[in-house]
């Protein structure tokens, strides 16, 4: 048995790997071959006896654009750990030699599922599959994926959908201990390059499976170019097919410090993500971004603001997610004036009123109920909290896609933007409140150089507004922040129904500006309805 994880493919030597089909792969080669592998500026010379997989092939390892532009965060499914070596695909001799090589490995697939064992992909020696010419009709054509960046071994993918293990027969030895998984779901548990390899193999095999017959005349298709092209077997037709991609845009739409998120009804409770959709015929990417945002959320974007950020292969079966950022068209409104609302509220300096202006500028969402169950604006501070792996209080369910998804990458980059002047106040949550009806205080925290931040604190267990102020002073004193109160009131918080109502005032501190309080609550409770009353 010669089953090895991808990281250990260099251990085996001296196998005889039979040709699958002389008509498909070309002639058989043998003998001793001198192979020169060029990596960057170094040259390695290797020699072995037996079938060779290439002659004097120059291999240059390159990083993907996404990795170059953001080396700290890998675009999942984008790196298969291979040099695709297209020059081997189109050369029958090199292709034949590659499959005959004692180092040749196969990524097996069974009904578009991949085989993994102990968290590693299982790659099988080509000779262990023992495929015969008669197997081509049921097993499909082997696909040449490329040469391993680490070992230079040729790697193939083969669809085994009608092999004995799937038909109730005896399981081959190389399958023992393994599990057939859907890499779309299982992929995040793998290393990025391993997930990329399995996704690449799955995408190519699924494309072959969907194109067994000619779309023009119905005759069987024959694979060429190492499985990267299909050609009609009818001499009178000669139709060709090549792997296709379905481009889809995914967009981070921002309005100030808020980002637009949506959810589909079939997702887990509380799961939200960026808006996305397929590009239609006759559209540019930028046009698709504007159309999809408008269709799904009712939001108009500034089309001049659309800019490319990153892309992610999504071969399930054949998508390419192309990520963009864009700015929403803000609601036109006059700057907020606290004096025009309630003269009795404690005065707040004009520079802090931008919190309210930002909320007033958010355009109203209108989710397309056909595609989205909900669409709403989420503040950057809450997003940062979620990205750190934290949960929300009061049992509120809210989550975003994991780090394997381009949505997470786009959100992470946006959340980190404009954070060059981080200070200790960023680690103090803007809102800490209780459930039920309780007193609250609007406060300002500041450091010794004058940096400030407004926060809201409310606690049903503390009898006086002054107790809440003292508790907050204790909360931040160890990080050198000072606290001043800006009035108080009461909050009625129904967590189950997701309702917040701000009202009343503080006998000792005076009336807080409830409009500002509601704007701050909005940052941390995007799923709640928030109302206020100046009396009560």
């Amino acid at each position: 048995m010669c089953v090895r994880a991808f990281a250990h493919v260099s251990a085996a030597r001296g196998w005889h790997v039979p040709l699958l089909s002389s008509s498909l792969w070309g002639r058989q080669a043998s003998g001793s071959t001198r192979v020169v592998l060029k990596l960057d500026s170094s040259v390695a010379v290797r020699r072995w006896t037996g079938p060779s997989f290439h002659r004097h092939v120059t291999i240059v390892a390159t990083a993907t654009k996404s990795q170059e532009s953001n080396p700290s965060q890998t675009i999942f499914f984008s790196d298969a750990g291979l040099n695709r070596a297209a020059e081997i695909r189109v050369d029958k001799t090199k292709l034949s030699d590659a499959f005959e090589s004692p180092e040749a490995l196969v990524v097996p697939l069974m009904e578009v599922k991949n085989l993994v064992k102990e968290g590693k992909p299982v790659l099988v020696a080509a000779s262990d599959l023992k495929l015969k010419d008669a197997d081509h009709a049921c097993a499909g054509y082997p696909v040449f994926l490329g040469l391993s960046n680490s070992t230079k071994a040729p790697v193939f993918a083969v669809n085994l959908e009608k092999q004995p293990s799937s038909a109730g027969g005896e399981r081959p030895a190389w399958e023992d201990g393994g599990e057939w998984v859907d890499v779309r779901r299982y992929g995040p548990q793998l290393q990025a390059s391993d997930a990329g390899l399995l996704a690449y193999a799955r995408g190519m095999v699924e494309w072959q499976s969907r194109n067994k017959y000619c779309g023009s005349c119905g005759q069987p298709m024959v694979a060429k170019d190492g499985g990267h092209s299909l050609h009609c077997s009818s001499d009178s037709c000669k139709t060709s097919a090549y792997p296709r991609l379905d481009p889809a845009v995914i967009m981070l739409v921002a309005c100030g410090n808020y980002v637009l998120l949506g959810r589909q009804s079939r997702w887990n409770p509380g799961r939200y993500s960026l808006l996305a959709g397929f590009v239609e015929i006759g559209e540019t990417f930028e046009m698709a971004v504007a159309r999809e945002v408008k269709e799904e959320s009712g939001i108009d974007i500034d089309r001049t603001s659309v800019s490319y950020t990153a892309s992610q292969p999504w071969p399930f079966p054949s998508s390419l997610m192309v990520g963009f950022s864009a700015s929403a068209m803000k609601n036109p409104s006059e700057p907020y004036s606290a004096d025009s609302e309630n003269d009795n509220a404690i005065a707040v300096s004009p520079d802090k009123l931008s919190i309210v202006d930002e909320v007033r500028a958010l355009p109203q969402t209108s989710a397309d109920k056909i595609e989205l169950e909900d669409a709403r604006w989420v503040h950057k501070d809450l997003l940062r909290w979620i990205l750190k792996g934290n949960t929300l209080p009061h049992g509120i369910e809210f989550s975003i896609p994991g780090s394997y998804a381009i949505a997470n990458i786009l959100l992470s980059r946006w959340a980190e933007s404009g954070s060059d002047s981080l200070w200790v106040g960023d680690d103090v949550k803007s809102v800490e409140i209780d459930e039920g009806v309780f007193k609250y205080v609007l406060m300002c925290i500041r450091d010794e150089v004058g940096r400030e931040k407004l926060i809201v604190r409310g606690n049903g267990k503390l009898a006086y507004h002054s107790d809440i102020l003292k508790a907050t002073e204790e909360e931040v004193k160890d990080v050198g922040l000072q606290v001043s109160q800006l009035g108080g009131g009461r909050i009625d918080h129904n967590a189950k129904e997701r309702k917040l109502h701000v009202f009343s005032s503080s006998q000792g501190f005076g009336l807080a500006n409830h409009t500002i309080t509601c704007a701050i609550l909005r940052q941390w409770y995007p799923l709640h309805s928030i109302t206020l009353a100046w009396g009560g």
Side-chain angles (χ1 to χ4, degrees), residues 252-304:
L252 187 146
V253 179
C255 188
N257 285 310
Y258 286 84
V259 63
L260 180 63
L261 299 182
R263 66 167 275 105
Q264 297 181 15
S265 58
R266 60 184 177 86
W267 292 352
N268 292 334
R271 169 58 63 96
Y272 280 78
S273 186
L274 297 177
L275 273 56
F278 286 101
V279 181
E280 295 185 354
I281 293 175
E283 279 188 323
T284 64
F285 286 126
E286 293 80 1
M287 292 167 63
V289 167
R291 176 183 54 77
E292 286 288 346
V293 173
K294 181 66 174 179
E295 288 179 357
E296 294 189 351
S297 68
I299 300 298
D300 291 307
I301 66 168
D302 177 1
R303 299 200 176 201
T304 65

Side-chain angles (χ1 to χ4, degrees), residues 314-381:
W314 199 253
F316 310 112
S318 56
S319 295
L320 174 66
M321 303 297 294
V322 187
F324 291 87
S325 62
S327 298
M329 299 295 291
K330 296 181 178 180
N331 274 339
S333 60
E334 294 294 329
Y336 173 68
S337 174
D339 295 338
S340 65
E341 199 159 42
N342 193 298
D343 295 336
N344 296 322
I346 301 297
V348 175
S349 59
D351 61 300
K352 299 184 181 66
L353 300 182
S354 60
I355 293 176
V356 178
D357 289 334
E358 196 165 52
V359 173
R360 286 155 57 100
L362 294 175
Q364 181 67 39
T365 60
S366 177
D368 173 15
K369 297 302 182 180
I370 297 177
E371 296 192 34
L372 291 183
E373 180 183 70
D374 186 33
R376 61 186 60 225
W377 296 100
V378 174
H379 194 269
K380 182 178 286 188
D381 287 350

